[in-house]
Amino acid sequence: MTQIPTTAPAALYSDIAIIGAGPAGLSLALCLAGSGLNITLIDQQSRASIAEPAMDGRDIAMNHESRAILQQLGVWQRFPADQVHPLKDAQVVDGDSPYALHFERNDDADAPLGYLVANHRIRAALYQQLQQHDTIQLLTETRVTAVHSNAADGVVELQTPQGPASLRASLIVAADSRFSAARRMMGISARMKDYGRVMMVCNMEHQHDHQHTARECFFYGRTCAILPLGPKQSSIVITTPASRAQELQNLDAEIFAREAEAMIGYRLGKMTLISERYSYPLVGVMSQRFVGRRFALVGDAAVGMHPVTAHGYNLGLRSADTLAGLIIKAHQQGKDIASRSLLLQYEMQHKLLSQPVYEGTNLVVRLFTNDNPLAKVARKAALRIGNNLKPFKQQVTRRLIQQR
């Protein structure tokens, strides 16, 4: 991987400029790495922060298609085997009821539904693989001050450690989070959904075996998820109003562990906190458009998901894979890699994939966080109908697995 010179010139050129070196931006760069195109990644972080990201508490559920894409990119092989945790069963529980909606594989009893990998390990592996490609440049500690485009190219105005600079590119891609500044600079609006909750995540050891089962427990006023990690270790995800999250954050570790045991209905027995507690505000985003003139959105900049259905990174990786596939095909045919027709094709494909998932997730969140008596009845009915409606279970399970 080529590094930008320490004295950045006033003008730079790249075939594709990617704003944001998070998981989506790094994934897109790798998807394009063998194309022969020159790629520039731009990020405000230092190179050290990108190379060795700190643990942030988040464990990412990945389906089989995501695994296949990352294997093809040479990234999956970089995960230590003991840090890839299989998901063999998934359950949805309403309140204190012992009844659960199950999703398990019937086609292959030995194969998992998916896999859990820590977010910071994914980012580190993506960066490590990036080092193998000299057509990718990484411009760090650099702030984007403006983005605009014309019929010929796109322009990213930069503030680098060496001063102002301008980067021209045939295509500009924003991968700078669900609160994308680049998206706003290009005049693209987005539907923001503030769920009025904070997600607290931490890792805990526990007395009972998790049996590689993910559980989503919906209680009135809060949601608790159990994501199985190593032997008798799980990631606990608590979704609650901000005031309650702050209370939990301030609790002594022992008292917090007792609270966590009660929140998940004592399903794992005695628990011990083994990590910091991390909190994130929950905001969903669906961009009104995914493309502009010589401009595209990938990852959370296009669609930012509520974590309840665990589709976030899977959709982000699919957006990168889809866009890269169209770009590489156009480049091989000698066509414009940022033509209007190409970008509209990308938008259509990714919206067809992501919009039903986004709207469906929001419907689940509304139903299972509504304390209205009718909603409570509907929740219990939905779980029983879902368990007994085989086509529904098969469809959901196929979406969870997403095999190529």
Side-chain angles (χ1 to χ4, degrees):
M1 182 178 64
T2 319
Q3 297 186 14
I4 295 290
T6 53
T7 53
L12 305 166
Y13 178 80
S14 189
D15 292 312
I16 300 171
I18 303 172
I19 302 171
L26 292 169
S27 297
L28 176 60
L30 282 174
C31 287
L32 292 164
S35 65
L37 295 164
N38 291 312
I39 316 298
T40 298
L41 273 162
I42 306 160
D43 202 282
Q44 296 186 65
Q45 298 181 87
S46 68
R47 184 175 294 272
S49 296
I50 297 170
E52 299 179 8
M55 178 181 175
D56 59 12
R58 290 177 289 188
D59 291 278
I60 307 302
M62 285 191 279
N63 58 35
H64 290 261
E65 180 150 22
S66 292
R67 178 185 178 180
I69 293 171
L70 292 179
Q71 282 180 323
Q72 188 174 357
L73 296 177
V75 174
W76 189 269
Q77 297 88 321
R78 293 184 177 275
F79 299 145
D82 63 350
Q83 297 301 321
V84 177
H85 310 294
L87 287 171
K88 295 186 177 179
D89 190 6
Q91 299 179 6
V92 179
V93 179
D94 182 44
D96 295 320
S97 170
Y99 189 83
L101 172 58
H102 287 261
F103 296 102
E104 68 282 329
R105 295 193 66 162
N106 295 318
D107 59 325
D108 186 344
D110 295 324
L113 287 169
Y115 308 87
L116 281 164
V117 182
N119 184 53
H120 71 283
R121 294 188 186 280
I122 296 171
R123 296 177 67 171
L126 288 166
Y127 177 83
Q128 290 162 11
Q129 189 61 21
L130 217 67
Q131 305 305 299
Q132 309 304 311
H133 302 284
D134 59 9
T135 57
I136 301 173
Q137 300 181 93
L138 179 59
L139 186 55
T140 58
E141 299 180 63
T142 297
R143 183 168 57 89
V144 174
T145 58
V147 181
H148 48 90
S149 63
N150 54 45
D153 55 26
V155 180
V156 185
E157 305 291 349
L158 306 169
Q159 185 62 45
T160 76
Q162 295 77 39
S166 180
L167 172 64
R168 292 191 305 110
S170 293
L171 174 65
I172 300 169
V173 182
D176 54 340
S177 87
R178 64 190 66 198
F179 306 108
S180 173
R183 184 181 63 215
R184 291 194 299 275
M185 290 174 183
M186 287 296 289
I188 298 177
S189 62
R191 286 189 289 136
M192 297 272 187
K193 183 169 181 59
D194 188 337
Y195 296 103
R197 295 286 189 274
V198 169
M199 177 181 74
M200 174 179 283
V201 292
C202 61
N203 290 353
M204 304 192 77
E205 285 185 342
H206 41 79
Q207 180 181 4
H208 303 319
D209 186 7
H210 50 51
Q211 298 180 320
H212 301 288
T213 297
R215 295 178 175 89
E216 192 77 47
C217 309
F218 291 96
F219 297 92
Y220 307 129
R222 70 180 188 276
T223 301
C224 301
I226 304 167
L227 304 177
L229 303 178
K232 294 189 177 181
Q233 291 186 4
S234 293
S235 171
I236 305 299
V237 185
I238 301 168
T239 302
T240 187
S243 59
R244 178 60 174 147
Q246 189 59 52
E247 289 176 23
L248 293 170
Q249 184 75 47
N250 294 336
L251 288 177
D252 172 83
E254 278 289 331
I255 298 174
F256 174 80
R258 304 294 81 75
E259 287 271 346
E261 290 168 11
M263 284 183 183
I264 62 173
Y266 303 97
R267 287 175 171 83
L268 297 175
K270 184 176 175 56
M271 301 174 69
T272 304
L273 183 66
I274 59 172
S275 77
E276 293 183 37
R277 285 160 277 184
Y278 304 85
S279 294
Y280 302 94
L282 284 181
V283 179
V285 174
M286 171 62 73
S287 181
Q288 299 287 15
R289 291 182 290 134
F290 291 174
V291 299
R293 185 167 60 179
R294 297 197 170 274
F295 182 77
L297 302 169
V298 297
D300 282 0
V303 185
M305 295 287 296
H306 189 290
V308 69
T309 51
H311 280 297
Y313 181 60
N314 294 308
L315 285 178
L317 187 55
R318 281 290 296 277
S319 68
D321 184 61
T322 299
L323 180 59
L326 294 170
I327 290 170
I328 291 169
K329 182 178 179 181
H331 180 60
Q332 290 173 342
Q333 295 175 349
K335 296 179 180 179
D336 184 358
I337 62 170
S339 68
R340 177 174 170 79
S341 60
L342 182 153
L343 294 177
L344 288 177
Q345 186 177 354
Y346 161 69
E347 179 178 65
M348 179 187 69
Q349 289 184 21
H350 194 50
K351 275 204 170 181
L352 281 174
L353 172 68
S354 62
Q355 193 152 12
V357 178
Y358 179 81
E359 302 297 352
T361 296
N362 287 342
L363 181 63
V364 169
V365 171
R366 283 197 300 272
L367 177 61
F368 281 91
T369 57
N370 187 341
D371 291 343
N372 183 288
L374 289 177
K376 294 178 183 180
V377 173
R379 279 198 290 273
K380 296 186 186 303
L383 296 186
R384 292 189 178 276
I385 292 171
N387 253 344
N388 292 289
L389 198 63
K390 287 188 177 180
F392 165 79
K393 286 189 69 172
Q394 290 170 352
Q395 177 65 25
V396 173
T397 302
R398 278 198 297 269
R399 188 169 285 280
L400 287 172
I401 297 170
Q402 283 285 309
Q403 286 183 307
R404 282 194 152 181

